[in-house]
Amino acid sequence: MGYKLYTPPDGHWGHIGPDGKWTGMVGMVYRKEADIAISDISMTIQRERVIDFTYPYFIDPTSFLTQAPTEKPRALAIIRPFTYEVWISIGVALVVTSLIVYLLTIRKSGEQDERWSLTQAAWYFYGALTQQGGAEIVPVRNPVRVIVSAWWIFAIIITAGFSGTLTSFMNVPGLNPAVDTVSQLISLVKAGTYKGGTRDGTSVLTNFEKAKEGALQVLGQVMVKDRKGTVVKDFPEGVHKVLNEPYALIFPQAPMEAAIASIGNEKFHFSTDRFFSAYYAVVIPKGSPLRKAFDEVLTRIREAGLIPKWNKDILERRRRNPSAFNETSELSAPGSVSSQEPLTLDDMIGAFCVLALGYTLGFLLLLLECVTKKARGNSDQ
């Protein structure tokens, strides 16, 4: 006894269309155009009104797919080794230490050579931080020597920590945080910086559109208002939007894993947060005698753990031979990209900004000296 396989002309799993008729595979079974429908069709109350489901053979969490976190820009690597609190603390320590040493040298110091001005002290300790200090002759007072010794130890530790961490950040700058939770996605969608959508003609879309509260309602309202920008016709379109736009594709995870297997999981990020779970089952006509036979077989298959095993095998075949699965293989980037890349001007912009800041401050100080000198000359006259 043979059988024939059909695919729905509209490519849908099945939902009620604008004309009130059922689409997709559910519609074909309902209209007796097919005896059964086997795919990742989820069980819903709306569908059970017109067809029957067998025993569910797989439970799939509905998460969302986003682009993998991008690298942090190396331009800010020059300040990233320390937190802002550490930078502020170093600045405060420099000012306080310079002030203390200045006060110690002017107190009961008879010889001029044993005194440090506040500017001399500040430049000395700043030079120590850049490993260029030590040219100044330290006043002979023991308290000053102890403080200077402590500062040099402090400077060596700070410099070593900065240099090592800076080298690490330049080689591996780290990743920007991923969009991982439903609350994060909702916040981004409300701010207008991100879009969340799903595939057309699915129960997932119906759940969002008919939601009355919570995260589903927020995203559902956006999908209704901006259907063109959020709802995709198929997985290739959805994956393309994920790779090229701030877009989150919301769907049960197994079909999305299959869709991106030929491209590379490293380009994507699955959220650890979930919306709801989808229960997959075989679709049969209402009152079909096939239900009992299917339930017995599907129960044994599920208890044996064959569904996860088959799913894993399919994903592995897609990864090994992406060209055999033409659904999204055209999105694959040809060749491999070397992990060793030269630093660009954008990567080194932080260092040039520091140099430009030095130029600016030097020029301002030059103007200040010129104005001060001219003012003194006028007062002498």
Side-chain angles (χ1 to χ4, degrees):
M1 184 177 178
Y3 62 88
K4 293 183 179 180
L5 291 177
Y6 299 93
T7 56
D10 54 17
H12 292 172
W13 281 266
H15 73 289
I16 300 178
D19 56 358
K21 296 180 179 180
W22 279 92
T23 66
M25 290 177 282
V26 173
M28 293 179 69
V29 173
Y30 173 63
R31 293 187 296 270
K32 310 297 184 184
E33 297 172 2
D35 296 314
I36 60 173
I38 301 177
S39 182
D40 44 356
I41 305 177
S42 59
M43 303 173 67
T44 66
I45 296 176
Q46 190 180 41
R47 289 171 177 172
E48 284 186 306
R49 295 190 182 119
V50 295
I51 49 89
D52 279 343
F53 285 103
T54 63
Y55 181 79
Y57 58 84
F58 190 65
I59 301 175
D60 196 12
T62 300
S63 59
F64 59 88
L65 181 73
T66 56
Q67 188 177 1
T70 56
E71 282 190 349
K72 293 181 179 179
R74 290 185 175 90
L76 299 178
I78 195 169
I79 63 171
R80 204 177 295 151
F82 297 146
T83 63
Y84 293 113
E85 293 83 0
V86 174
W87 284 113
I88 294 173
S89 299
I90 293 174
V92 171
L94 175 63
V95 173
V96 171
T97 306
S98 302
L99 182 60
I100 291 175
V101 170
Y102 165 70
L103 294 175
L104 286 175
T105 56
I106 64 172
R107 184 172 179 267
K108 297 182 180 179
S109 294
E111 298 294 333
Q112 186 67 29
D113 293 340
E114 294 183 6
R115 297 184 181 183
W116 264 359
S117 66
L118 184 59
T119 303
Q120 283 179 304
W123 275 113
Y124 179 87
F125 293 124
Y126 173 76
L129 285 175
T130 59
Q131 300 294 293
Q132 298 299 319
E136 293 278 350
I137 299 176
V138 180
V140 296
R141 300 200 64 191
N142 290 329
V144 175
R145 290 178 173 177
V146 171
I147 293 175
V148 169
S149 300
W151 181 265
W152 270 103
I153 296 174
F154 169 79
I156 291 172
I157 297 173
I158 291 295
T159 304
F162 178 83
S163 302
T165 310
L166 178 61
T167 302
S168 175
F169 277 130
M170 293 300 290
N171 290 326
V172 185
L175 300 175
N176 291 310
V179 183
D180 194 54
T181 65
V182 173
S183 60
Q184 287 177 328
L185 179 60
I186 294 295
S187 299
L188 293 172
V189 169
K190 287 182 176 179
T193 58
Y194 231 84
K195 290 184 179 181
T198 187
R199 185 170 173 174
D200 195 14
T202 63
S203 60
V204 178
L205 178 60
T206 302
N207 289 340
F208 278 99
E209 289 179 337
K210 294 185 177 298
K212 301 299 182 182
E213 60 182 3
L216 296 185
Q217 182 189 27
V218 174
L219 292 172
Q221 290 175 344
V222 175
M223 294 179 194
V224 171
K225 294 178 181 178
D226 184 19
R227 192 178 185 87
K228 185 177 180 180
T230 58
V231 180
V232 297
K233 64 179 181 180
D234 51 29
F235 282 123
E237 182 184 352
V239 172
H240 183 270
K241 287 178 73 68
V242 169
L243 288 175
N244 296 279
E245 302 175 19
Y247 178 81
L249 180 61
I250 305 170
F251 210 74
Q253 190 162 325
M256 291 197 294
E257 287 179 339
I260 67 171
S262 57
I263 303 175
N265 286 20
E266 69 279 357
K267 297 182 177 68
F268 302 92
H269 175 76
F270 280 103
S271 65
T272 57
D273 215 353
R274 307 288 188 250
F275 287 96
F276 50 82
S277 293
Y279 290 75
Y280 298 149
V282 177
V283 174
I284 55 177
K286 274 287 186 181
S288 174
L290 297 174
R291 181 170 185 171
K292 183 177 180 181
F294 271 108
D295 285 347
E296 291 178 357
V297 174
L298 291 174
T299 300
R300 293 199 300 268
I301 290 176
R302 182 176 178 182
E303 290 176 349
L306 293 177
I307 300 296
K309 172 65 168 59
W310 292 338
N311 185 55
K312 183 178 179 181
D313 291 343
I314 292 173
L315 294 178
E316 188 62 29
R317 288 201 299 269
R318 282 177 173 264
R319 295 187 184 104
R320 291 181 177 180
N321 190 18
S323 60
F325 304 90
N326 57 8
E327 213 182 32
T328 53
S329 58
E330 68 274 8
L331 299 175
S332 303
S336 59
V337 180
S338 173
S339 59
Q340 298 294 330
E341 297 181 0
L343 297 178
T344 65
L345 182 60
D346 289 339
D347 298 331
M348 302 303 297
I349 196 67
F352 285 99
C353 286
V354 172
L355 182 61
L357 179 62
Y359 289 160
T360 303
L361 291 177
F363 180 71
L364 292 176
L365 289 174
L366 176 62
L367 289 179
L368 181 62
E369 289 181 357
C370 292
V371 171
T372 304
K373 185 176 181 181
K374 185 176 181 179
R376 288 178 179 176
N378 293 336
S379 63
D380 292 340
Q381 293 177 1

